[in-house]
């Protein structure tokens, strides 16, 4: 067995036969070969780390005394000893350029560099055994086991108490899907690169600061997207890490897939909902004619809504279809096409309007307006007010550094006053001529389009808007206005 001794660094010789490089002919040649093999910058990085943090206490420099050379030879720890020599006597490293030696000298000047170090002095057989254990990999559990990417991430989380997206994805996939290991589909680092992409993360709706966004449905999307990424790479004959290695490429490939995925999912949910409604309508005596589509089921029992005939800007349309010059055009249903992807989960100002958008999206995709006209009126009224407020908080008055919100804040809670304020200052609040036109068309006369929504909210027992009137409001420019108010381009 060996022993621990304090030895002067100048008395240590680097190992000529270090496996990291070809055999050296002398001390200087050995150091040169070591620096070239490891990389000069890497050696400087190690020098800087040793100056800041010292040597690791659990790993001693292993040396063997040579009777022939009358010096201690370093068998394990050659890089550490080499950079310590550099920090103590940089001018002796003639093979290094001036810039490198200057950097070493600057590190050395910071202090904390000792001329002596603790070494484990032993014989050559024991030294070789230690070297093999440390550098031959796991060796069926006998050697050093390197951390996997997941294990490294776990350590960072536990050390810094900050969870990363890949960590949360891994955790919640296991939680929701019977300990499914998503790294069997994609490597841990690839999951982080793809799904922590700013645009992709926002499109899916993931927010590392809010674990509530890591829902089972979103984790299913991540799993399916991961499988698609692997398949796409296989079809292209290119490794995943090469095909999906740039942010732009990831976005170009994955965004269309996510859109198609959501459409397929919504269609599936819609079919399920229609089946439930069809089954429920038979048990409750709701009449469904043969020629009607599932999304046009009229409720004829226990309902007597009062239609509004004096809303001049909203004319009922048959089945949401228009004919122009002999061509039939099917319009988007309600708020289909609503775009709120620019709203950031971390932005407190976006939370309310984002929640409203999600429900409008649900009502549009599942075509629920006919079944819930009162709730629909509440949502339409809410999105008008909250979108204007959100826009006011994000944009300045034309030709001024003052936020629009400073002018309309006093009217908060009074939509009629906010819209009146906008009507009076429209050119200074909204610079887009097209949007100005839509705004004038819909809101110039507040009583024409917005008041009926207020009547539904305040007097639902006696006043309701018919479904077609509600469905057509977005088609008359409201959807365009809302998308503009919620966009970054506004």
């Amino acid at each position: 067995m060996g022993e621990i001794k304090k030895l002067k660094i100048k008395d240590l010789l680097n190992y000529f036969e270090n496996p990291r490089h070809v055999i050296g002919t002398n001390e200087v040649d050995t150091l040169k070969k070591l620096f070239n093999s490891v990389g000069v910058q890497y050696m400087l990085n190690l020098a800087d780390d040793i100056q800041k943090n010292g040597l690791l206490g659990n790993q001693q420099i292993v040396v063997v005394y040579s009777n022939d050379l009358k010096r201690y030879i370093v068998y394990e720890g050659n890089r550490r000893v080499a950079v310590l020599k550099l920090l103590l006597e940089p001018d002796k490293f003639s093979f290094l350029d001036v810039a490198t030696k200057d950097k070493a000298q600057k590190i050395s000047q910071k202090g904390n560099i000792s001329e002596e170090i603790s070494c484990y002095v032993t014989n050559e057989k024991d030294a070789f055994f230690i070297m093999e254990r440390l550098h031959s990999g796991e060796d069926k559990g006998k050697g050093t086991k390197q951390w996997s990417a997941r294990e490294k991430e776990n350590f960072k989380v536990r050390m810094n108490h900050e969870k990363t997206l890949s960590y949360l994805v891994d955790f919640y996939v296991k939680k929701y899907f019977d300990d499914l290991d998503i790294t069997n589909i994609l490597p841990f680092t690839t999951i982080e690169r793809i799904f922590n992409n700013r645009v992709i993360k926002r499109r899916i709706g993931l927010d590392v600061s809010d674990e509530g966004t890591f829902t089972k449905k979103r984790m299913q999307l991540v799993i399916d997207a991961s499988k698609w990424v692997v398949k796409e790479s296989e079809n292209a004959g290119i490794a995943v890490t090469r095909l999906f290695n740039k942010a732009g490429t990831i976005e170009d490939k994955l965004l269309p897939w996510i859109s198609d995925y959501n459409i397929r999912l919504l269609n599936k949910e819609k079919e399920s909902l229609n089946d439930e409604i069809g089954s429920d309508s038979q048990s409750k005596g709701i009449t469904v004619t043969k020629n009607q589509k599932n999304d046009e089921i009229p409720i004829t029992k226990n309902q007597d809504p009062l239609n509004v005939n004096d809303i001049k800007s909203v004319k009922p349309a048959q089945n949401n279809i228009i004919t122009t010059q002999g061509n039939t055009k099917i319009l988007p249903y309600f708020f289909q096409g609503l775009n709120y992807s620019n709203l950031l989960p971390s932005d407190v100002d976006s939370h309310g309007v984002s929640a409203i958008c999600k429900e409008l999206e649900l009502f549009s995709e599942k075509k629920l307006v006919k079944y819930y006209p009162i709730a629909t009126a509440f949502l339409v009224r809410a999105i008008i007010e909250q979108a204007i407020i959100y826009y006011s908080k994000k944009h300045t008055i034309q030709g001024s550094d003052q936020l629009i919100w400073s002018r309309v804040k006093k009217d908060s809670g009074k939509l009629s006053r906010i819209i009146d304020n906008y009507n009076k200052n429209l050119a200074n609040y909204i610079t887009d001529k097209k949007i100005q036109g839509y705004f004038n068309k819909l809101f110039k006369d507040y009583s024409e389009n917005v008041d009926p929504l207020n009547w539904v909210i305040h007097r639902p027992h006696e006043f309701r808007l018919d479904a077609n009137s509600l469905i057509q409001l977005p088609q008359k420019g409201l959807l365009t206005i809302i998308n503009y108010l919620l966009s970054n381009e506004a």
Side-chain angles (χ1 to χ4, degrees):
M1 294 294 292
E3 59 179 335
I4 303 295
K5 284 187 177 181
K6 277 272 191 179
L7 299 174
K8 291 184 180 295
I9 295 172
K10 67 178 183 178
D11 292 335
L12 304 179
L13 284 177
N14 281 80
Y15 187 36
F16 293 5
E17 299 183 53
N18 189 336
R20 292 190 186 276
H21 54 73
V22 297
I23 298 174
T25 58
N26 53 48
E27 170 74 353
V28 174
D29 184 57
T30 298
L31 288 171
K32 179 179 180 180
K33 286 179 166 61
L34 179 60
F35 270 74
N36 289 339
S37 173
V38 175
V40 173
Q41 186 57 54
Y42 276 37
M43 296 295 277
L44 285 173
N45 293 344
L46 177 58
D48 187 57
D49 183 69
I50 290 175
Q51 186 280 320
K52 291 177 180 176
N53 305 305
L55 295 168
L56 294 177
N58 70 323
Q59 289 191 8
Q60 302 289 344
I61 304 295
V62 179
V63 300
V64 176
Y65 186 75
S66 171
N67 289 317
D68 294 334
L69 300 174
K70 306 303 180 185
R71 301 276 292 277
Y72 287 98
I73 300 175
V74 179
Y75 276 63
E76 175 58 37
N78 278 277
R79 289 187 309 129
R80 286 170 282 170
V81 171
V83 296
L84 285 170
K85 290 178 178 179
L86 173 64
L87 294 176
L88 291 170
E89 298 180 288
D91 289 336
K92 289 188 176 182
F93 286 70
S94 58
F95 57 87
L96 294 176
D97 58 40
V98 175
T100 300
K101 287 188 283 189
D102 286 345
K103 290 178 182 177
Q105 194 163 22
K106 288 180 181 178
I107 295 173
S108 179
Q109 288 171 352
K110 296 176 183 178
N112 197 32
I113 307 298
S114 175
E115 294 184 0
E116 292 185 336
I117 54 174
S118 294
C119 298
Y120 177 68
V121 182
T122 187
N123 57 50
E124 190 173 66
K125 181 180 179 181
D126 189 30
F128 283 152
F129 176 79
I130 293 171
M131 292 169 68
E132 184 178 21
R133 276 286 180 269
L134 291 176
H135 299 288
S136 296
E138 295 183 27
D139 194 15
K140 299 180 181 180
K142 292 181 288 185
T144 302
K145 187 181 188 307
Q146 297 296 321
W147 279 345
S148 66
R150 176 196 278 127
E151 290 163 343
K152 291 177 183 177
E153 198 63 39
N154 287 343
F155 174 73
K156 289 179 182 178
V157 169
R158 293 166 189 173
M159 181 176 65
N160 302 322
H161 305 290
E162 292 182 3
K163 298 176 182 178
T164 61
L165 184 134
S166 51
Y167 175 89
L168 290 171
V169 165
D170 180 51
F171 176 83
Y172 282 103
V173 165
K174 285 182 177 179
K175 176 181 177 180
Y176 295 133
F177 300 99
D178 299 323
D179 279 333
L180 173 66
D181 187 352
I182 194 169
T183 62
N184 288 333
I185 304 172
L186 282 179
F188 206 75
T189 51
T190 305
I191 291 170
E192 180 74 18
R193 183 173 64 256
I194 292 177
F195 296 104
N196 200 39
N197 176 285
R198 182 178 61 85
V199 177
I200 300 299
K201 179 170 54 177
R202 185 189 300 170
R203 183 67 183 87
I204 297 174
L206 298 176
D207 180 5
V208 175
S209 65
D210 180 8
E211 290 189 39
T213 61
F214 288 74
T215 62
K216 184 174 182 179
K217 185 176 289 187
R218 290 191 176 109
M219 293 304 95
Q220 183 65 66
L221 186 154
V222 170
I223 293 170
D224 292 340
S226 299
K227 292 178 179 177
W228 176 82
V229 165
V230 172
K231 187 175 181 180
E232 187 77 358
S233 299
E234 289 175 348
N235 291 339
I238 302 174
V240 171
T241 51
R242 287 185 57 202
L243 187 59
F244 292 85
N245 65 338
K246 295 182 179 179
T249 304
I250 292 171
E251 293 160 15
D252 291 343
K253 287 184 173 294
L254 206 52
L255 284 176
W257 182 89
I258 293 173
S259 296
D260 291 342
Y261 179 91
N262 286 333
I263 291 172
R264 292 195 302 271
L265 185 63
L266 287 168
N267 286 337
K268 186 176 179 181
E269 291 176 350
K270 177 185 170 184
E271 290 173 5
S272 176
L273 178 67
N274 287 337
D275 289 342
E276 291 176 10
I277 292 174
S279 174
D280 193 49
S281 65
Q282 293 178 11
S283 63
K284 293 185 178 180
I286 298 175
T287 304
V288 184
T289 63
K290 292 182 178 180
N291 293 326
Q292 287 171 324
K293 297 179 181 179
N294 287 333
D295 59 4
E296 297 169 354
I297 301 174
I299 302 176
T300 60
K301 185 176 181 180
N302 298 330
Q303 185 179 11
D304 184 23
L306 176 63
N307 294 331
V308 183
N309 296 319
D310 59 349
I311 302 180
K312 294 184 282 294
S313 66
V314 180
K315 298 179 181 179
Q318 185 67 27
N319 297 333
N320 206 32
I321 297 176
I322 61 172
T323 302
T324 57
Q325 297 180 350
N327 296 320
T328 299
K329 180 181 179 182
I330 300 177
L331 297 174
Y333 181 92
F334 197 41
F335 272 89
Q336 283 180 337
L338 178 62
N339 183 4
Y340 58 101
S341 60
N342 288 311
L343 300 182
L344 298 173
S346 58
D347 183 1
V348 175
D349 292 335
S350 75
H351 291 178
V353 70
S354 179
I356 297 168
C357 286
K358 288 176 182 177
E359 294 200 16
L360 283 171
E361 199 173 52
L362 177 69
F363 270 55
S364 301
E365 296 296 344
K366 296 189 176 181
K367 301 191 175 179
L368 299 177
V369 176
K370 288 178 181 284
Y371 307 115
Y372 305 106
I374 296 177
T376 301
F378 273 66
L379 286 172
V380 173
R381 166 65 170 71
I383 193 61
I384 292 172
E385 180 172 2
Q386 294 305 314
I388 293 176
I389 289 176
Y390 176 83
Y391 177 89
S392 301
K393 290 181 176 180
K394 302 300 177 185
H395 295 83
T396 57
I397 300 167
Q398 181 73 1
S400 167
D401 292 329
Q402 190 177 12
L403 286 173
I404 299 171
W405 180 239
S406 65
R407 293 277 187 90
V408 301
K409 183 178 181 179
K410 65 182 185 300
D411 300 322
S412 179
K414 297 287 185 180
L415 180 59
S416 59
R417 294 181 183 176
I418 292 176
I419 289 181
D420 182 59
N421 192 315
Y422 263 69
N423 282 330
K424 290 177 180 178
N425 301 281
L426 192 57
N428 291 325
Y429 290 177
I430 297 176
T431 57
D432 190 297
K433 298 296 184 182
K434 178 182 176 182
I435 302 301
Q436 288 179 10
Y438 278 125
F439 198 97
N440 279 322
K441 181 180 178 182
L442 285 169
F443 302 127
K444 194 67 175 177
D445 186 351
Y446 183 88
S447 64
E448 195 170 80
N449 287 316
V450 185
D451 258 348
L453 297 171
N454 290 327
W455 299 338
V456 174
I457 291 172
H458 298 302
R459 293 181 286 161
H461 59 288
E462 64 179 89
F463 190 91
R464 299 184 202 174
L465 282 169
D466 67 283
N468 278 335
S469 299
L470 290 164
I471 292 170
Q472 286 192 353
L473 267 176
Q475 300 164 12
K476 300 191 74 65
L478 181 58
L479 176 60
T480 302
I481 291 175
I482 300 301
N483 282 343
Y484 176 86
L485 296 176
L486 302 183
S487 70
N488 285 335
E489 288 74 27

